[in-house]
Amino acid sequence: MSVINLKPGSMGLADWRAVYRGADVVMEASARPAVDAGAQAVQDLIASDRAIYGVNTGFGKLATVRISD
């Protein structure tokens, strides 16, 4: 089984295909600050009590259905 090293901005189609097919995934350490910042941004949006499509609402016809935090 192959191991794919996630490198933001430099993942090719072959890399994503390998992930789809079950390759193990390792996140490059340099990506961690961006992942943490993204997670914090989502937490901040949730804390704002606004409806955020697909995060605290359903999808499509359920977009007006609020999902609890």
Side-chain angles (χ1 to χ4, degrees):
M1 174 99 20
S2 62
V3 176
I4 300 298
N5 189 17
L6 290 180
K7 295 175 257 182
S10 64
M11 297 290 294
L13 183 57
D15 296 321
W16 292 115
R17 189 176 294 121
V19 171
Y20 172 77
R21 292 182 175 152
D24 290 328
V25 177
V26 176
M27 183 173 60
E28 192 168 282
S30 64
R32 190 64 173 176
V35 171
D36 290 342
Q40 187 60 54
V42 171
Q43 288 298 321
D44 292 346
L45 286 168
I46 291 170
S48 75
D49 203 36
R50 295 181 356 207
I52 304 138
Y53 180 78
V55 174
N56 59 5
T57 72
F59 293 96
K61 290 182 180 181
L62 297 175
T64 59
V65 176
R66 189 72 182 263
I67 301 167
S68 67
D69 296 347

